[in-house]
């Protein structure tokens, strides 16, 4: 199967906000707000091709047929914990979405993803799922999370991140060639600890003030 599509979202608003987030001295409050705002903007991009159906409504002046989003409510799937940073922004755009929480942590020695929590709607087969994590680094967490969503029947999954490393993109595309990726930037490489360079540091720590 051909590699999944990589969409680099170079909208000026996103690029500007991402630069602010990279700055070492940016406050936790500002980092969190920017993550939220970019989540909103990325949601706009990733849902660009949602199917519409014409429905009957009445304006104050007359009846008309008007477009509404068709099909089942979509699922937003943040990878805990940094993925939660995107959630509010995305929910502001799609308020009736379902939410699947995926708890994975990175073993600091092996860098492998370890599952500790997974709570999702029972059947994901007819819902688009937007999987989100700000950092696509080694790709281990993203790959494991996508596999969990597929185990619940998800067939239309999209992965959204803020920053991606070439290594992570290659890994994810190899394991999940059916899942397109949206990112605001592709950085240079990973360091020996699996951090993205130049990157923005540890997204979870910067968002939640845990360093
Ligand atoms: N997770 C992060 O928060 N930052 C990185 O650079 C890589 C993984």
């Amino acid at each position: 199967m051909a590699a999944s599509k990589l969409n680099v979202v170079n909208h000026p608003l996103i690029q500007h906000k991402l630069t602010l987030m990279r700055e070492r001295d940016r406050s936790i409050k500002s980092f969190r707000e920017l993550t939220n705002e970019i989540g909103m903007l990325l949601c706009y991009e990733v849902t660009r091709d949602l199917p519409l159906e014409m429905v009957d409504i009445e304006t104050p002046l007359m009846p008309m047929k008007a477009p509404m989003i068709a099909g089942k409510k979509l699922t937003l799937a943040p990878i805990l914990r940094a993925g939660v940073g995107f959630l509010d922004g995305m929910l502001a755009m799609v308020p009736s979405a379902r939410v699947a929480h995926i708890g994975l942590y990175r073993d600091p020695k092996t860098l492998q993803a370890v599952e500790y929590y997974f709570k999702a709607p029972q059947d994901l087969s007819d819902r688009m799922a937007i999987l989100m994590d700000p950092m696509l680094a080694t790709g281990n967490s993203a790959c494991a999370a996508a596999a969990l969503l597929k185990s619940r029947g998800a067939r239309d999954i999209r992965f959204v991140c803020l920053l991606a490393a070439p290594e992570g993109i290659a890994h994810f595309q190899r394991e999940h060639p059916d899942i397109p990726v949206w990112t605001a930037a592709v950085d240079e490489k990973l360091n020996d600890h699996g951090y993205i360079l130049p990157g923005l540091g540890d997204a979870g720590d910067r968002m939640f003030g845990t360093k």
Side-chain angles (χ1 to χ4, degrees):
M1 199 189 273
S4 62
K5 188 158 185 264
L6 176 67
N7 304 279
V8 180
V9 186
N10 51 18
H11 191 290
L13 288 177
I14 295 182
Q15 293 302 315
H16 179 89
K17 289 174 193 295
L18 172 57
T19 299
L20 298 180
M21 291 181 75
R22 289 183 189 271
E23 290 173 339
R24 190 189 52 203
D25 294 330
R26 185 138 299 273
S27 71
I28 292 164
K29 175 176 180 286
S30 171
F31 190 90
R32 197 181 287 154
E33 286 166 355
L34 288 161
T35 311
N36 189 51
E37 289 164 13
I38 293 184
M40 226 181 276
L41 295 165
L42 287 172
C43 186
Y44 180 81
E45 290 292 330
V46 74
T47 53
R48 209 171 249 288
D49 65 345
L50 275 180
L52 292 171
E53 63 184 347
M54 300 306 279
V55 300
D56 294 305
I57 61 162
E58 289 195 19
T59 77
L61 299 179
M62 60 179 285
M64 71 172 289
K65 284 197 179 297
M68 285 191 98
I69 293 169
K72 283 202 172 178
K73 304 283 183 258
L74 51 80
T75 306
L76 301 178
I79 301 178
L80 305 179
R81 67 187 161 139
V84 171
F86 277 157
L87 186 60
D88 281 353
M90 297 230 182
L91 277 173
M93 295 292 97
V94 198
S96 52
R98 307 304 190 241
V99 178
H101 288 94
I102 305 175
L104 295 169
Y105 71 86
R106 255 206 323 186
D107 183 295
K109 285 212 181 77
T110 65
L111 303 184
Q112 291 305 309
V114 183
E115 180 189 336
Y116 64 89
Y117 189 76
F118 179 49
K119 188 85 175 176
Q122 276 309 317
D123 184 7
L124 296 177
S125 53
D126 294 326
R127 302 177 188 278
M128 176 195 291
I130 301 180
L131 177 60
M132 60 191 89
D133 192 352
M135 311 299 271
L136 179 57
T138 60
N140 291 339
S141 301
C143 286
L148 282 169
L149 293 175
K150 286 181 180 176
S151 74
R152 282 286 168 88
R155 292 175 297 181
D156 180 1
I157 306 175
R158 292 140 191 242
F159 181 74
V160 181
C161 62
L162 189 55
L163 278 186
E167 298 91 325
I169 296 168
H171 181 190
F172 191 75
Q173 288 183 325
R174 207 167 47 243
E175 281 205 27
H176 296 285
D178 53 314
I179 303 182
V181 175
W182 276 258
T183 184
V186 179
D187 270 12
E188 250 172 76
K189 60 177 180 180
L190 294 179
N191 70 11
D192 293 342
H193 304 287
Y195 278 86
I196 299 176
L197 297 176
L200 50 71
D202 189 300
D205 280 341
R206 294 197 62 193
M207 200 178 290
F208 299 115
T210 43
K211 190 117 195 225

